[in-house]
Amino acid sequence: MQNIIFWFRNDLRLHDNEAFVEASKAGNVIPVYVFDVRYFEKNFLGFKRTGAFRTKFLLEAVEDLRKNLQAKGSDLIVRVGRAEEIIAQIAEDLEATAVYASKEVTQDETTIEASLSKKLKPLNIEIELIWTATLFHARDLTFQINFLPSVFTDFRKKIELATKVRKTIDTPGQLNKVENIEAGNIPTFQVLGFDTEPVIDERTAFNYKGGETTGLARLQEYLWDKNLLKTYKETRNGMIGADYSSKLSPWLSFGCISPRKVYEEVKRYETEVVANESTYWLIFELIWRDFFYFTALKFGTRMFKASGIKNDLLRQWSRQRAVFDTWVKGETGIPFIDANMREIQLTGYMSNRGRQNVASYLAKELGIDWTWGAAYFESALIDYDVCINWGNWNYVAGVGNDPQANRTFIIEQQANLYDPEQAYVKLWLGENTHS
Ligand SMILES: Cc1cc2nc3c(=O)[nH]c(=O)nc-3n(C[C@H](O)[C@H](O)[C@H](O)COP(=O)(O)OP(=O)(O)OC[C@H]3O[C@@H](n4cnc5c(N)ncnc54)[C@H](O)[C@@H]3O)c2cc1C
């Protein structure tokens, strides 16, 4: 049987992974994960592109994937380097006939895909990139991507009316043995450029390990064991603890869990427990997630520029590093902002309410180049997702898809509304809430 390389990317799962299933049908599948060194370099502001919390989650996710593959008789080949070079070399060494992987949509990722494709061509090795990231399949959109509505509600209505969520794909059964290649060690923190592992702050709202196994367990816990889905709409703007929202984001971002799996479980819950506004709202949020993926597909590199997808070249942005640094460190003097910025720094997580506020404050109150904020989030967030992060920052900064681009959060009002007893601010700043 012919050798097929499967290159795992942000799809670190075996359930509902169409790309992997197709690869395993095509031949002797050899699963590979590459810790791409470019994602561990410093960005233009001096932040490591993948910070310590996300790195920890990723290492755990890769370890879990290897165990799950081993349980099926296969293995995961692990390497550190530049993905296209390593994948092409392995494919050549093992005389593979094709490389399969999940399709990505953004600049850096598609550049890597393109250079891999270029390397494989002279070797006569095929490359198959398969869509696995979203709830609604890209091929099921009823419009060409250029006609993607620019306002979320228009997109949601269109897609809900005309498109069905495809069924999840079964997890493959027993797999072939991986032979004639060193499996390779999962790198340490030091290899990836960190001095030490991050310390877990006991106040964290996200105290979970990475991987498909823990992701599926959290889904089970949130819906079934704790029965929290039925009140999601009421609790989702909370800020303290694990249970005000699903906390599925890091697993979704690395693809440890598929959005269709979440969807199917929500539908089952609606049949077996209750269907209400809350159950719908989790799906509604997953549609937001899709919206930003398709927005990234439509607008390409514009999403990463200060002028945004609106291409607003008139808007001026400040680039005062000292002012920006007070925001990063949580030293602006505004307790609600500072508490949130300390939470992200110490845990890698921040609530959606917090993110909306700190982003609005940076872009609209301080007038700082919002791409700096997005680049800091890229480094700091445990759940960083290129489309969702940059899409939301475009939106909040007023250069994206917000029909009310001048919308500004009045921070004091938000603090009174969402933290009336100052419990959140006290949690992160101590009793002295005037930071
Ligand atoms: C400036 C800014 C940057 C953000 N960056 C990211 C990011 O890098 N990665 C990320 O996953 N989310 C990001 N979000 C969206 C949102 O804040 C997080 O998805 C959410 O807080 C994660 O917690 P949860 O899984 O408990 O969310 P839940 O409330 O339980 O939502 C369930 C899922 O729906 C999706 N979702 C929820 N809110 C949004 C949203 N506003 N936009 C798109 N999808 C959403 C996520 O996949 C989430 O896991 C950002 C929001 C803002 C305002």
Side-chain angles (χ1 to χ4, degrees), residues 11-259:
D11 58 346
L12 302 177
R13 64 172 182 270
L14 298 184
H15 75 271
D16 195 30
N17 190 337
E18 187 173 353
F20 184 66
V21 169
E22 287 304 315
S24 56
K25 277 192 214 152
N28 234 345
V29 69
I30 297 144
V32 184
Y33 184 80
V34 182
F35 287 84
D36 195 311
V37 288
R38 286 162 290 198
Y39 291 97
F40 294 90
E41 286 169 355
K42 287 188 175 164
N43 67 14
F44 64 100
L45 293 167
F47 302 119
K48 242 169 133 45
R49 285 185 66 190
T50 308
F53 291 105
R54 193 158 77 260
T55 300
K56 181 171 183 297
F57 191 92
L58 171 63
L59 288 167
E60 292 160 353
V62 169
E63 197 177 329
D64 183 60
L65 182 64
R66 174 175 266 180
K67 273 194 200 135
N68 293 342
L69 283 163
Q70 285 171 345
K72 293 190 177 292
S74 177
D75 205 342
L76 182 66
I77 308 308
V78 175
R79 296 288 186 269
V80 179
R82 294 162 83 89
E84 67 276 31
E85 289 166 10
I86 288 172
I87 298 292
Q89 191 63 54
I90 293 177
E92 185 178 9
D93 292 349
L94 296 181
E95 295 175 2
T97 52
V99 171
Y100 280 63
S102 281
K103 176 84 187 95
E104 302 253 356
V105 291
T106 37
Q107 189 180 6
D108 290 350
E109 292 67 29
T110 51
T111 304
I112 294 175
E113 284 168 12
S115 38
L116 174 61
S117 175
K118 220 164 137 192
K119 284 183 188 303
L120 294 177
K121 211 170 175 126
L123 302 171
N124 212 10
I125 300 172
E126 296 289 322
I127 179 165
E128 287 284 344
L129 297 168
I130 296 171
W131 190 268
T132 57
T134 50
L135 182 62
F136 292 99
H137 199 287
R139 288 195 189 280
D140 296 341
L141 296 180
T142 52
F143 43 83
Q144 284 178 357
I145 200 68
N146 286 346
F147 297 103
L148 175 79
S150 52
V151 174
F152 170 71
T153 309
D154 298 340
F155 165 74
R156 180 180 58 78
K157 286 186 177 156
K158 243 184 176 159
I159 202 140
E160 283 181 330
L161 197 70
T163 311
K164 275 209 157 64
V165 175
R166 292 188 187 182
K167 272 173 101 111
T168 52
I169 310 255
D170 287 343
T171 305
Q174 201 62 16
L175 296 164
N176 59 270
K177 214 168 152 196
V178 174
E179 287 172 319
N180 303 325
I181 181 164
E182 269 300 307
N185 291 327
I186 295 177
T188 59
F189 268 79
Q190 284 73 20
V191 168
L192 298 176
F194 296 89
D195 295 334
T196 50
E197 279 193 35
V199 177
I200 305 299
D201 189 301
E202 60 182 20
R203 295 168 292 182
T204 185
F206 190 89
N207 197 3
Y208 298 94
K209 278 190 186 306
E212 178 175 14
T213 310
T214 50
L216 293 172
R218 172 60 183 169
L219 186 62
Q220 166 74 25
E221 176 183 67
Y222 188 74
L223 269 63
W224 304 101
D225 303 346
K226 293 190 170 173
N227 202 4
L228 294 164
L229 180 59
K230 67 178 192 303
T231 50
Y232 170 69
K233 189 150 184 267
E234 289 86 71
T235 61
R236 60 180 285 274
N237 278 310
M239 305 182 80
I240 300 176
D243 290 344
Y244 62 81
S245 64
S246 75
K247 301 294 179 297
L248 290 172
S249 53
W251 289 290
L252 283 163
S253 299
F254 277 119
C256 300
I257 195 161
S258 97

